[in-house]
Structure formats: C-alpha cells, structure tokens
C-alpha cells in the first residue's frame, strides 16, 4: 500500500465507508496533507465505491478543500464587507510583505499559504482571519507581525 | 421608546431553571401539547425564512418514517451574522435542550449539529457539552444521540436541502422543494432542520410558557431576537432585542451619528437609506403599517464615508463566489450584475443600463432555484434604487 492508501484506509476505518462519510474523510485528508491530491481522491473513490469524478466534484465544491498543494499554515483573510471597511487591505499588504507572496500563493518552504475567504462570523471584531482552524480578530499590522512570527517558530 | 432597547437576555442569559430542567419538564408533557404551545406562541424560524416552528415539528412528527432526524443548522454564513457562534459558545445547553425536546416530539433518535468549517475551533467544546447532554438524555430515558458534522466553507450549505446533500456526501447543491425535509430529509427520512437560535427559542417557550413569550415582540413577530451589529458603530456586538423596533430607534442606539444606511438581513437582505429609517420596523412582514423587514439578525451600519457602490460590489463578489452554479439565472446572473455595475461605473455603459440590470434581478427572483439566487435582488435593487448617483459617478 502507498502512503496515501494507508492514510485513506485509516480515515475510512474511522468514519466508515458510506457515502455520508465522504466529507469527513476529505476533511481528514486535508488536515494531514494540507490539500486533497488526485491520488487521495482516487483512493477514496475506490474505498467508498464511487467514481473518482464524483469525489473530485465533491472536493472542488468546497472552498476549504483545496485540490492544489497548500502550505502547512493556511491563512484565510476575510474580504467581506465589514472587514473590508475595517481596513482589511492594510492587513493583506502587511501579510504579503512579511511572507513575500501574493494572495493565492504559497511560500517556497511550503509553510504558509495566503488566501481570501468570505465572512468568518467575527464582523464585530474585524478585520479577522483564520490560520488553519484558529481565529484571529481585531487585526492590526503589529498584531499580524506577532502572529506570523509565532507561526514561523512552529514546526 | 428607549425602553425597547433594553437588553433582554432571554437567549443568552442564565435562569434559575437550567436548560436540562426545562427539557425534563417538557418531556413529562404530551408531544401534541408541546406542538400546540409552539404553534400558539407564534415562534418563527430564526434562520431567515421565518417558517412557523410548531408547524415544522408537527409535520415531522406526523410524517411516516422508521427513522427521523433533527438537524441544528449552525452554518451561519450570512455576512454580518455571528450570533449562532455566540449562542453555541455561551449557552450550548439551551441548543441541545431544544434539540432534545424536538427529538421527543418528533420521535427522532439521531441529531446533528451542522457546524460551518470556520467554527471548527468550537468542536472540542461542543463535544464536551454533547457528552454531558447524553448523560441527561439517559437519565430522562430519552433515546437520542447528537453528533457534530463539520462543513468546509460553502455559504450555500446553509440552505437546508443543500445542507442535507452536503451531509449525505453530495455536492452542497440545493434540492427542489417540495418535497420538504420534514417528509424527505436526511437520507430521505423525515428531518427537522432548525436554526441554532430557533432551537433555543423553542426551549424558551417551554421555560416561560406561551403567554409570557407572546408578550415579547409585536403582532406576527413574537419573542426576542439576537441581533449581530457591526460596521460603523461604536457598539458592535450581539444584542438580545425585542422584535418590532423601528430602524430609527435602532440607529439612535447603535449609529455613530452619521449613519447613511443600514443593511438589514445581510447581503441577501435589504439596504435601508436614512430617509426610510422611521418607516421601517424589524420583524417578519405582517399586519403592521410601513415596511417590516425580516432578518436573520445581521445589522450592518454604514456611515456617510462609505461608497454604496463598493458595498454592492462586495456583495456581488460574495454571491458570485458562493453561488453553487447549479442554475443558470443565478450562476450567470451574479456574474453579469457585477460586470454590469462595473461597466456603468467606468462609463462604458449608460446609466439606463441599470434598469436592465434591475430587470435581470427580477428574473432571478422568479427563476433561481434557491434563496441565494432569489434574494440577490433584495440588496441589488435596494442599493441601486436608493443610491443611484453613487452607482454612476
Ligand atoms: C443561501 C442560503 C443560506 C442559508 N444559510 C442559513 C444558515 O446559515 N443558517 C440557518 O439557520 N439557515 C440558513 N438558511 C435558511 C435555511 O434554508 C432554513 O430555512 C433554516 O435553516 C430553517 O430553520 P428555521 O426555520 O429554524 O429558521 C439559508 C438559506 C439560504 C437560501
Ligand atoms: S440559486 Fe444559485 S445557489 Fe441556488 S441553486 Fe441556483 S445556482 Fe445554486
Ligand atoms: S465580514 Fe469579515 S468576519 Fe464578517
């Protein structure tokens, strides 16, 4: 078995091989590999007795299940209206400067990806962003620097 | 007047009777009595569509099915809404008690909380609460089990049938209605899908009774409601207010003194300009004079420094991205509306072109398959009609 097959097998054992398990399994793959690879989709399809096109259709539907490789820490900055009003551009500029990438890109060392997302449900404390599952609010260029430094020091 | 704006704390407050005591009390009553109380209370869904909760439960209770489900809709994706997250953080027991009462009434044995992926950090907290809830169910001999199901970043999955598709492992695309989930829901079985706050309010009806509940709010819109207030306001946050307040009162309390417009109900809601603050009340459309606007609770305030063109463009960006793409009026419509207002702004199209775009939104309203495509017209026409100059110059 390839590494991918083993990973998928473990997830199928955990969540079951019914169609209803598909989203939790895809999420599991994403948590481990930071994207859903073609190989993983084919392996899931085989395990759940679905067509790989079906699994592909499902993965590409969700904005959090990227099918291109992402960094270990995926930064998603809210670009919806309230955060936009609260200077999200300044936050994005700061991130682009620190990470030396543009929105949509991943750093060469595969540590960070910078993406936009829609309303995160923290509008009263905007601007807001997610780093993987963690929420950061009331962002300022200064707090961004601290947050990124902290993540740079993590493995 | 000021009195209306007192904080009620019906939803988020702590009361002498704990949520599980309220559930225990409810479980001693006949399901049909709980349903008729709910119907009498006039409680309407807090997820935006405003369907009578008692009726929904009644349909699901009456539906034939060997298995039934209760789904708590915690997908909360409407721009400017954050109250469900707060409810799940502060009073999860009230939500679970609401689900428990619903399970008892309908005969469901399994429940899910469909939690948006953006709130994944809440999962450990919710799982601890669910474990405690299960112990209470066991004590009360209620055979009911709840699980969290996590979304993955798709606003449309908040639409109840898209949500069910998403849970079943399909693309999160809305289904045709009818059949409605109460007959044909998760895995084709009778399913109640309720918003987080609706479940809490159903529990409130059990706690305080129909009479007290009806004292809150106004005709056709009973109870209290959590409002998510954001934008140009010195007091952003979540407020438990009575239905029936006028926008004028609201702005006096929450505005920054320079409020130009309030977006009621998020990007799929309506934009109300200053001159209409006095004639607009917040509640479900009903027997009142003037305009009454329903809201999932999102209240975004804009002051005169904001360009309403930018606001509208931001919404259209949102809809274009979040449209599931299943039906043409919405998939193409959202794109064309955005391209259209950009062209007018650049001067590539005459201002009259806006009329054509308004017609397009009318078409979307009647031909789009789900609420997403149907409600783009709300913000589009209310902004274009009231702030026409800003669209052009
Ligand atoms: C595009 C779209 C998104 C929706 N998002 C949500 C949501 O995030 N939460 C919610 O409770 N209802 C949402 N709804 C409404 C649901 O379809 C459904 O009416 C609601 O969950 C029913 O619960 P209620 O009767 O308790 O309000 C959405 C509807 C549409 C059309
Ligand atoms: S209206 Fe939009 S979101 Fe709804 S089904 Fe059609 S394309 Fe999908
Ligand atoms: S608009 Fe950014 S969190 Fe809501």
């Amino acid at each position: 078995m390839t590494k991918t097959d083993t990973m998928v097998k473990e997830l199928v054992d955990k969540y079951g091989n019914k169609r209803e398990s598909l989203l939790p399994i895809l999420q599991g793959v994403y948590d481990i590999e930071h994207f859903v690879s073609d190989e993983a989709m084919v392996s899931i399809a085989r395990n759940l007795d679905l067509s790989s096109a079906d699994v592909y259709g499902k993965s590409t539907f969700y904005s959090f299940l990227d099918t291109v490789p992402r960094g270990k820490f995926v930064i998603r900055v809210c670009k919806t209206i309230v955060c936009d009003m609260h200077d999200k551009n300044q936050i994005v500029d700061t991130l682009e400067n620190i990470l030396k990438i543009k929105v949509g890109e991943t750093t060469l060392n595969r540590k960070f990806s910078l993406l936009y997302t829609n309303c995160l449900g923290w509008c009263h404390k905007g601007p807001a962003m997610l780093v993987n599952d963690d929420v950061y609010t009331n962002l300022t260029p200064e707090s961004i620097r601290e947050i990124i430094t902290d993540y740079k020091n993590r493995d | 007047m000021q009195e209306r704006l007192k904080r009620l704390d019906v939803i988020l407050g702590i009361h002498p009777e704990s949520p599980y005591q309220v559930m225990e009390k409810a479980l001693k009553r006949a399901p049909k009595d709980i349903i008729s109380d709910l119907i009498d209370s006039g409680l309407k869904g807090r997820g935006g569509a405003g369907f009578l909760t008692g009726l929904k439960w009644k349909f699901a209770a009456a539906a034939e099915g060997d298995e039934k489900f209760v789904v708590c809709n915690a997908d909360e994706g409407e721009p400017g809404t954050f109250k469900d997250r707060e409810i799940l953080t502060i009073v999860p027991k009230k939500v679970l008690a609401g689900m428990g009462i619903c399970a008892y009434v309908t005969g469901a044995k399994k429940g899910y909380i469909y939690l948006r992926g953006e709130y994944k950090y809440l999962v450990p907290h919710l799982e601890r609460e669910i474990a405690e809830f299960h112990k209470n169910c066991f004590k009360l001999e209620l055979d009911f089990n709840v699980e969290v199901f996590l979304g993955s970043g798709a606003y449309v999955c908040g639409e109840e049938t898209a949500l069910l598709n998403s849970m079943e492992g399909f693309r999160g695309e809305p289904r045709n209605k009818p059949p409605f989930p109460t007959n044909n829901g998760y895995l084709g079985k009778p399913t109640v899908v309720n918003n987080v706050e609706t479940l809490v309010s159903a529990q409130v009806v059990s706690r305080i009774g129909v009479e007290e509940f009806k004292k809150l709010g106004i005709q056709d819109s009973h109870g209290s409601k959590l409002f998510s207030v954001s934008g140009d306001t010195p007091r952003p946050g979540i407020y438990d207010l009575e239905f029936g307040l006028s926008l004028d009162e609201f702005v006096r309390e929450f505005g920054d003194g320079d409020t130009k417009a309030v977006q009621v109900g998020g990007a799929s809601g309506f934009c109300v300009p200053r001159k209409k603050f006095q004639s607009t009340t917040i509640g479900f459309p009903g027997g009142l004079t003037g305009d009454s606007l329903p809201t999932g609770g999102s209240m975004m305030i804009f002051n005169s420094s904001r360009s309403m063109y930018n606001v509208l463009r931001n919404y259209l960006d949102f809809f274009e991205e979040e449209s599931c793409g299943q039906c043409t009026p919405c998939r193409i419509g959202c794109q064309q509306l955005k391209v259209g207002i950009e062209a007018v702004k650049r001067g590539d199209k005459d201002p009259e072109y806006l009329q054509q775009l308004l017609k397009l939104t009318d078409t979307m309203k009647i031909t789009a398959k789900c609420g997403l495509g149907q409600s783009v017209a709300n913000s589009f026409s209310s902004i274009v009609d009231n702030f026409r100059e800003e669209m052009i110059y």
Side-chain angles (χ1 to χ4, degrees):
Chain A
M1 272 218 267
T2 66
K3 196 168 134 264
T4 307
D5 282 331
T6 315
M7 170 185 70
V8 168
K9 179 80 181 47
E10 279 170 12
L11 289 165
V12 171
D13 286 345
K14 180 166 174 199
Y15 294 110
N17 64 355
K18 293 210 215 81
R19 175 149 205 142
E20 301 91 90
S21 318
L22 181 52
L23 189 52
I25 292 170
L26 287 167
Q27 290 165 341
V29 169
Y30 189 90
D31 285 345
I32 297 165
E33 302 206 317
H34 316 297
F35 83 117
V36 186
S37 65
D38 290 356
E39 203 190 343
M41 287 188 256
V42 170
S43 174
I44 293 170
R46 215 180 305 118
N47 275 279
L48 266 56
D49 199 14
L50 300 168
S51 77
S52 40
D54 200 341
V55 177
Y56 177 79
K58 178 87 180 179
S59 322
T60 49
F61 185 83
Y62 294 95
S63 59
F64 283 12
L65 295 176
D66 309 278
T67 48
V68 292
R70 299 289 189 204
K72 182 158 191 201
F73 301 112
V74 179
I75 304 170
R76 298 176 196 271
V77 182
C78 172
K79 67 171 168 58
T80 307
I81 187 67
V82 185
C83 290
D84 187 65
M85 286 160 59
H86 289 124
D87 250 345
K88 74 111 198 348
N89 283 343
Q90 200 190 1
I91 300 307
V92 171
D93 288 346
T94 311
L95 283 164
E96 287 185 339
N97 278 329
I98 301 179
L99 299 171
K100 306 202 172 43
I101 50 173
K102 297 271 169 226
V103 175
E105 295 177 348
T106 298
T107 54
L108 282 177
N109 63 3
R110 291 236 169 277
K111 196 138 190 197
F112 295 97
S113 293
L114 179 59
L115 302 172
Y116 277 130
T117 191
N118 284 324
C119 183
L120 289 169
W122 289 93
C123 329
H124 57 322
K125 295 188 177 164
M129 69 177 187
L130 285 176
V131 181
N132 292 353
D133 304 331
D134 294 326
V135 185
Y136 296 90
T137 58
N138 290 322
L139 296 170
T140 60
E142 293 71 44
S143 69
I144 288 280
R145 276 187 203 97
E146 275 173 39
I147 294 162
I148 298 301
T149 308
D150 180 44
Y151 277 97
K152 277 189 172 161
N153 293 331
R154 294 191 203 180
D155 284 324
Chain B
M1 276 295 157
Q2 274 311 80
E3 244 174 277
R4 264 203 198 289
L5 291 175
K6 67 177 185 286
R7 285 192 70 153
L8 288 168
D9 274 348
V10 177
I11 305 283
L12 295 177
I14 294 170
H15 318 284
E17 238 178 333
S18 77
Y20 296 145
Q21 284 169 330
V22 173
M23 179 165 101
E24 181 172 1
K25 198 173 71 182
L27 263 49
K28 289 185 179 133
R29 303 180 63 207
K32 69 171 191 343
D33 294 340
I34 297 177
I35 289 176
S36 67
D37 270 9
L38 262 190
I39 294 176
D40 290 345
S41 77
L43 171 63
K44 290 178 181 167
R46 304 304 200 222
F51 191 76
L52 269 179
T53 307
L55 268 190
K56 192 181 274 190
W57 289 22
K58 185 177 176 174
F59 293 151
E64 299 280 338
D66 48 344
E67 250 186 309
K68 294 181 186 179
F69 299 97
V70 179
V71 177
C72 168
N73 187 343
D75 198 46
E76 186 159 66
E78 188 63 52
T81 319
F82 36 93
K83 46 115 188 158
D84 292 339
R85 179 179 48 68
E86 197 83 353
I87 293 174
L88 290 169
T89 306
I90 302 181
V91 289
K93 291 182 178 64
K94 291 190 185 179
V95 181
L96 289 162
M99 291 179 80
I101 298 171
C102 182
Y104 170 67
V105 164
T106 56
K109 304 228 176 327
K110 180 84 204 176
Y112 293 94
I113 298 177
Y114 188 100
L115 187 72
R116 68 188 305 223
E118 289 83 344
Y119 296 167
K120 186 173 172 192
Y121 78 98
L122 280 175
V123 172
H125 158 73
L126 287 176
E127 285 182 341
R128 275 193 302 276
E129 289 291 339
I130 289 170
E132 196 191 324
F133 171 71
H134 286 158
K135 282 189 205 146
N136 280 277
C137 291
F138 183 76
K139 248 191 287 174
L140 301 173
E141 292 176 16
L142 180 70
D143 176 11
F144 183 52
N145 175 278
V146 175
E147 246 179 76
V148 176
F149 192 99
L150 204 59
S152 260
Y155 163 68
V156 71
C157 287
E159 197 283 337
E160 53 190 3
T161 58
L163 182 152
L164 296 170
N165 271 343
S166 171
M167 284 178 59
E168 288 181 24
F170 296 98
R171 286 164 69 90
E173 291 169 345
R175 305 172 180 170
N176 281 324
K177 288 192 270 191
F180 291 96
T182 43
N183 279 296
N184 196 328
Y186 183 53
L187 304 175
K189 312 284 183 190
T191 303
V192 169
V193 182
N194 268 144
N195 173 256
V196 176
E197 187 181 353
T198 311
L199 291 161
V200 174
S201 295
Q203 184 263 173
V204 171
V205 173
S206 274
R207 180 171 67 82
I208 66 178
V210 176
E211 289 318 309
E212 287 300 310
F213 190 82
K214 284 179 86 163
K215 280 186 197 154
L216 300 170
I218 46 165
Q219 186 192 347
D220 293 320
S221 299
H222 292 295
S224 73
K225 175 83 193 81
L226 284 190
F227 289 92
S228 313
V229 181
S230 68
D232 293 314
T233 166
R235 277 183 288 287
I238 294 152
Y239 298 87
D240 197 341
L241 305 174
E242 255 182 282
F243 271 123
L245 77 157
S246 82
L247 215 48
D248 198 41
E249 293 169 273
F250 175 84
V251 168
R252 250 183 283 146
E253 181 74 15
F254 294 102
D256 63 358
D258 186 25
T259 304
K260 160 160 118 177
V262 180
Q263 181 80 22
V264 180
S268 10
F270 295 85
C271 186
V272 184
R274 187 183 292 149
K275 62 176 187 286
K276 293 185 185 160
F277 287 168
Q278 248 177 1
S279 57
T280 308
T281 41
I282 299 165
F284 298 102
L288 287 167
T289 50
D291 280 333
S292 195
L293 294 182
T295 165
S298 167
M299 305 289 280
M300 299 189 284
I301 304 178
F302 304 116
N303 70 18
S304 58
S305 74
R306 305 297 171 188
S307 147
M308 298 314 286
Y309 169 82
N310 285 346
V311 170
L312 180 58
R313 208 187 155 286
N314 189 284
Y315 295 166
L316 291 172
D317 227 22
F318 173 81
F319 287 125
E320 185 191 16
E321 277 176 26
E322 299 293 345
S323 164
C324 80
Q326 191 185 182
C327 66
T328 316
C330 170
R331 184 182 65 245
I332 309 291
C334 292
Q335 285 170 6
Q336 289 308 310
L337 290 173
K338 194 171 105 186
V339 173
I341 63 161
E342 284 169 353
V344 171
K345 189 77 175 177
R346 278 197 312 269
D348 289 351
K349 289 273 185 197
D350 290 337
E352 283 68 53
Y353 189 63
L354 289 172
Q355 291 327 107
Q356 227 158 316
L357 295 177
L358 284 166
K359 265 199 237 157
L360 172 57
T361 62
D362 284 341
T363 309
M364 289 168 69
K365 207 190 294 189
I366 51 175
T367 55
K369 182 167 172 176
C370 86
L372 190 153
Q374 289 159 7
S375 55
V376 173
N378 298 347
S379 51
F380 192 89
S381 60
S382 57
I383 292 179
V384 168
D385 285 343
N386 291 306
F387 301 96
R388 203 180 148 85
E389 286 75 35
E390 292 189 38
M391 300 302 120
I392 303 167
Y393 306 109

